[in-house]
Amino acid sequence: MAGGLIVTGGGRGIGAAVCRLGAHAGWSVTLSYARDAAAAEAVAAETGGVAVRADAASEADTLRLFDAAEEAHGAPLGVVVNAGVVAPGLPLAEMSLARIEQVFRTNTIGAFLTAREAARRMSGGAIVVVSSAAARLGAPNEYVDYAASKGALDTMTVGLAKELAPKGIRVNAVRPGLIETEIHASGGAPDRAARLGAQTPMGRPGAAEEVAETILWLLSPAASYVTGTMVDVSGGR
Ligand code: NAP
């Protein structure tokens, strides 16, 4: 599959795996990142792609990301709405307004801005939204804010898929479970995926590549009649 592919948060973790597998499948990659320029530039070098520092929660940055992608590779045929954050695990009763706002600003408003720009600029192809198993599990005593910020993306996926089907654009979401990436350390629990992954039906955490494989399939013509749905990549959890 050839064409321009935009991956938000493509410098590390699941996004980086999507960039690598996407380049291997023939996609021309543009990736965004927030802070870690070295990681993002390494992925760009490895994939022959373009790295753009762009805060997903900023409208101006999002427009700049899409402009850079169009300049490099033409109108995107694939967009992966991946950038996301967690905050340290807490019961909702102990969460500050600043924390809740930050989680929703990046995960939900950021995803809406990326998806809106994709809807404006694509004339065919596929959008894949990276939600979370937390959207259906609720993440009690850890990240109810995060879980709800992803639940909104499931709803966006259902509605946007119906809006864009007449334009020949498919919109789906993946809901990863416990995946080994640095996001858990950023929430203060670096061993979280290994610890809780052992308690899942498959008895292990997932790898970023296992999520990326599903995303690449949803982007590809092999998923030509799949839209408006959520695919769980969670080892049975
Ligand atoms: P990660 O390893 O922490 O990587 C996150 C990536 O997103 C980094 O490249 C980071 O950029 C970028 N990013 C963060 N905030 C951003 C912002 N405001 N604007 C632009 N880019 C931003 O996380 P991950 O585990 O791969 O997570 C990727 C997605 O999967 C997230 O949406 C997450 O919620 C979802 N997910 C993950 C899991 C899991 O267990 N890992 C489970 C379910 C869902 P920098 O490198 O510059 O910091």
Side-chain angles (χ1 to χ4, degrees):
M1 178 80 200
L5 174 66
I6 298 175
V7 182
T8 64
R12 295 184 293 117
I14 292 167
V18 171
C19 293
R20 293 192 183 99
L21 288 182
H24 189 68
W27 288 95
S28 302
V29 173
T30 303
L31 60 123
S32 71
Y33 65 98
R35 282 164 297 272
D36 193 339
E41 291 298 348
V43 173
E46 194 182 330
T47 59
V50 178
V52 180
R53 186 191 292 266
D55 179 358
S58 157
E59 184 173 37
D61 283 10
T62 301
L63 298 182
R64 203 162 42 72
L65 170 67
F66 275 78
D67 288 346
E70 281 187 346
E71 197 177 313
H73 305 127
L77 267 180
V79 172
V80 181
V81 185
N82 168 73
V85 292
V86 296
L90 286 176
L92 177 58
E94 293 174 26
M95 289 181 193
S96 68
L97 173 61
R99 167 214 167 103
I100 297 168
E101 282 182 342
Q102 196 242 342
V103 167
F104 274 85
R105 201 161 42 239
T106 301
N107 294 0
T108 308
I109 296 181
F112 267 78
L113 288 173
T114 303
R116 185 197 70 183
E117 223 38 45
R120 286 178 173 173
R121 302 195 194 207
M122 294 170 79
S123 50
I127 299 169
V128 179
V129 177
V130 182
S131 173
S132 173
R136 59 181 166 73
L137 296 171
N141 297 308
E142 280 195 302
Y143 317 119
V144 171
D145 53 349
Y146 170 86
S149 77
K150 295 294 190 175
L153 301 192
D154 290 359
T155 306
M156 178 185 79
T157 298
V158 170
L160 190 59
K162 290 173 181 165
E163 285 188 10
L164 297 184
K167 282 181 74 178
I169 301 168
R170 296 179 298 102
V171 186
N172 293 288
V174 292
R175 290 193 297 211
L178 294 153
I179 310 300
E180 277 289 11
T181 72
E182 292 165 351
I183 201 169
H184 306 290
S186 72
D191 66 338
R192 181 173 178 271
R195 184 168 37 86
L196 298 179
Q199 298 165 26
T200 63
M202 287 185 69
R204 65 168 179 87
E209 291 70 23
E210 293 179 289
V211 181
E213 289 282 7
T214 306
I215 293 171
L216 263 293
W217 171 71
L218 286 168
L219 288 172
S220 79
S224 55
Y225 201 53
V226 181
T227 199
T229 198
M230 274 66 71
V231 181
D232 290 323
V233 188
S234 57
R237 184 166 177 251

